[in-house]
């Protein structure tokens, strides 16, 4: 069975790259996104290894192998915001240098800053989705007997886990928003990555991911339960 052969091949080649999800999901600021001690493959390290540390592309954080297929996961911090166009109360926003004056320009700067950062995060995810698949196809699949052609039916899923992180500046302004947060981040990320699902090459062969999932940390742990059983 090609799927089993592929899994056995990756497992034997990279058994020393297994790390706890808690470690794999830790941000550069040291915040742990998913507290779970189950071990997945560190896909960043695998990518560095197969590219021999030269011209290393961007990559997802983790790889899970099961009888259901291959699950690539990217843990991404910086999306969730309490201050946004949907939640901000302009009447309560005062200028930093004069707390008696309402400063809409300051509010606009905060919102525009958030939009720019979100756009950059989405672009980063697109690069990771593309280049992680290329690493799977061109590097890992080719390590196994049969090569890419015979492994084409192996199900490959790209998963993004969105954080609950609040930017420190926004956290100090929480009191400015007296409406509940309205977040469409999950749907925005799904839409951004939807172009990488179910594509075919010019000769009709399946290409890119079978599925893209965008989950909260809690949803991810539940999904891992199902994926490994």
């Amino acid at each position: 069975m090609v799927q089993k052969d592929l899994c056995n091949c990756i497992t034997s080649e990279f058994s020393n790259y297994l790390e706890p999800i808690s470690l794999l999901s830790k941000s550069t600021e040291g915040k742990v996104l998913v507290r779970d001690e189950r071990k997945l493959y560190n896909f960043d390290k695998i990518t560095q290894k197969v590219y021999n540390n030269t011209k290393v592309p961007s990559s997802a954080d983790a790889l899970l192998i099961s009888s259901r297929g291959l699950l690539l996961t990217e843990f991404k911090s910086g999306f969730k915001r309490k201050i946004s166009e949907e939640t901000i109360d302009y009447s309560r926003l005062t200028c930093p240098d004069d707390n008696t004056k309402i400063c809409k320009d300051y509010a606009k700067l905060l919102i525009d800053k958030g939009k720019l950062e979100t756009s950059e995060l989405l672009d980063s995810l697109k690069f990771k989705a593309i280049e992680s698949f290329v690493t799977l196809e061109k590097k890992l699949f080719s390590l196994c007997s049969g090569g890419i052609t015979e492994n084409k039916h192996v199900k490959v899923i790209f998963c993004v886990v969105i954080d609950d992180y609040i930017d420190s500046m926004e956290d100090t302004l929480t009191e400015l928003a007296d409406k509940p947060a309205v977040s469409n981040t999950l749907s925005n990320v799904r839409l951004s990555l939807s172009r990488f699902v179910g594509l075919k090459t010019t000769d009709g062969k399946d290409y890119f991911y079978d599925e893209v999932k965008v989950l909260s940390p809690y949803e991810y742990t539940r999904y891992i339960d199902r994926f490994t059983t």
Side-chain angles (χ1 to χ4, degrees):
M1 184 177 179
V2 175
Q3 190 174 32
K4 183 178 180 180
D5 291 343
L6 175 62
C7 294
N8 288 341
C9 177
I10 295 176
T11 300
S12 63
E13 289 286 335
F14 304 105
S15 58
N16 59 328
Y17 286 77
L18 286 166
E19 295 180 7
I21 295 174
S22 295
L23 180 60
L24 293 168
S25 69
K26 184 180 290 187
S27 70
T28 54
E29 293 81 14
K31 290 184 176 291
V32 176
L33 184 55
V34 181
R35 296 191 179 278
D36 193 311
E37 296 311 303
R38 286 177 289 186
K39 293 183 177 182
L40 308 181
Y41 291 93
N42 186 322
F43 195 68
D44 285 324
K45 290 183 178 179
I46 290 177
T47 301
Q48 292 170 8
K49 175 71 174 179
V50 297
Y51 281 92
N52 198 26
N53 294 314
T54 59
K55 296 183 179 179
V56 180
S58 60
S59 54
D61 294 311
L63 171 65
L64 171 61
I65 300 172
S66 84
S67 59
R68 295 177 183 268
L70 304 179
L71 176 68
L72 284 165
T73 302
E74 174 66 14
F75 302 100
K76 184 59 71 173
S77 299
F79 275 104
K80 188 174 181 180
R81 302 178 182 281
K82 286 187 178 179
I83 304 300
S84 67
E85 286 181 312
E86 293 84 9
T87 64
I88 197 164
D89 184 348
Y90 288 95
S91 68
R92 299 176 64 185
L93 181 59
T94 56
C95 297
D97 58 344
D98 186 347
N99 59 18
T100 66
K101 296 180 180 178
I102 295 175
C103 187
K104 290 189 176 182
D105 287 340
Y106 182 48
K108 185 177 185 302
L109 286 173
L110 287 177
I111 292 171
D112 288 348
K113 173 179 176 290
K115 287 181 178 179
L116 177 61
E117 291 174 349
T118 297
S119 176
E120 291 172 347
L121 288 172
L122 290 174
D123 286 343
S124 171
L125 288 176
K126 292 175 188 175
F127 278 112
K128 287 178 181 289
I130 294 170
E131 296 184 348
S132 294
F133 183 85
V134 171
T135 298
L136 277 177
E137 183 190 45
K138 302 299 184 183
K139 294 292 185 177
L140 295 184
F141 285 7
S142 63
L143 286 174
C144 305
S145 59
I148 298 170
T149 302
E150 292 185 20
N151 285 324
K152 66 179 181 179
H153 71 277
V154 175
K155 189 172 185 179
V156 182
I157 302 169
F158 187 77
C159 180
V160 179
V161 183
I162 300 298
D163 70 314
D164 292 322
Y165 174 73
I166 304 301
D167 182 83
S168 58
M169 178 172 63
E170 292 181 338
D171 195 42
T172 63
L173 297 171
T174 301
E175 69 276 10
L176 301 175
D178 56 2
K179 294 180 285 185
V182 178
S183 174
N184 58 355
T185 300
L186 296 178
S187 58
N188 286 343
V189 176
R190 289 190 191 103
L191 180 61
S192 177
L193 298 174
S194 62
R195 69 187 67 184
F196 306 125
V197 179
L199 297 182
K200 292 185 179 295
T201 60
T202 55
D203 56 357
K205 295 180 180 179
D206 293 332
Y207 198 69
F208 267 127
Y209 298 99
D210 297 281
E211 189 177 353
V212 167
K213 302 191 73 68
V214 184
L215 305 172
S216 69
Y218 172 74
E219 290 172 329
Y220 182 68
T221 58
R222 297 293 298 273
Y223 182 66
I224 292 295
D225 290 338
R226 297 193 300 271
F227 200 85
T228 54
T229 57

